[in-house]
Amino acid sequence: MKLSTLCNQLLPGEACDDIESFFLEIDDFEEVPLVSRLSRIDDLLERLGPRWTSAYLLSLCSHVLSTVRIAGRVRSATGSEMFLALSFTEFELHAEEGVLLPHVFYYPGPEGVALGHRLRHECDTTALAEIALVRSVFEDADMLAGFRFCGRRTDGPPGHDVVRVFAIPVAEGSEC
């Protein structure tokens, strides 16, 4: 079965193949959600349950991230200057439904690369409860070894902090 066919069956209405959108000119960073509408995962939730739905979405999002990274290297001999990671910002959904939704975080250019370096220095040292939650989903998907984790809490609207957890892919044999 083709991946696009599987994606269309399990996530109808979601585009899993528009890699070109990651190479458009943008001013800052972008977070691309794998699922644009929560109603689109209802069948997936029914088939797999919340725990394995989260693991499946993580696995699929990781595949998209790897594909973007490879496409960037094909475009340029030195690789595209871009920071790529998986990010998680919707922890309320996990509290309510038991599902953790991943995003592909990308930040092109020297500013993105600099952010990536700063975050790599923070990985595995940040103490946020949300990091443990994200790590547990990676463990369910048997993907824990390929990523390092860090998080940031920033001020949002009054009374609401914004928490973003990054899962930064680590090349085999490299240190975070």
Side-chain angles (χ1 to χ4, degrees), residues 20-26 106 108:
E20 292 302 313
S21 65
F22 290 92
F23 300 100
L24 299 174
E25 292 292 321
I26 60 173
Y106 70 103

Side-chain angles (χ1 to χ4, degrees), residues 68-173:
V68 170
R69 188 175 61 240
I70 291 166
R73 289 188 177 146
V74 167
R75 288 173 173 269
S76 168
T78 60
S80 284
E81 238 186 32
M82 177 186 304
F83 171 61
L84 284 166
L86 299 180
S87 64
F88 301 84
T89 59
E90 301 174 32
F91 299 102
E92 298 82 22
L93 180 64
H94 186 271
E96 295 168 7
E97 302 287 334
V99 176
L100 194 60
L101 292 178
H103 298 82
V104 175
F105 181 96
Y106 70 103
Y107 194 161
E111 297 86 5
V113 173
L115 174 64
H117 288 297
R118 283 192 307 273
L119 289 173
R120 283 182 183 90
H121 289 292
E122 296 174 10
C123 62
D124 295 328
T125 62
T126 311
L128 291 174
E130 292 84 357
I131 291 175
L133 175 63
V134 170
R135 288 176 64 90
S136 72
V137 173
F138 275 78
E139 190 170 17
D140 285 345
D142 199 24
M143 297 171 55
L144 195 58
F147 291 86
R148 299 294 178 259
F149 304 89
C150 66
R152 291 190 166 183
R153 184 178 304 275
T154 57
D155 293 333
H160 298 283
D161 288 344
V162 176
V163 175
R164 179 174 283 112
V165 173
F166 293 97
I168 303 169
V170 177
E172 192 172 319

Side-chain angles (χ1 to χ4, degrees), residues 25-53:
E25 292 292 321
I26 60 173
D27 292 335
D28 205 352
F29 69 86
E30 290 287 334
E31 279 179 297
V32 179
L34 186 63
V35 177
S36 63
R37 292 188 179 100
L38 295 179
S39 62
R40 292 193 174 152
I41 65 169
D42 287 344
D43 289 338
L44 194 57
L45 273 167
E46 190 175 312
R47 290 182 194 187
L48 303 176
R51 177 181 181 192
W52 297 115
T53 295

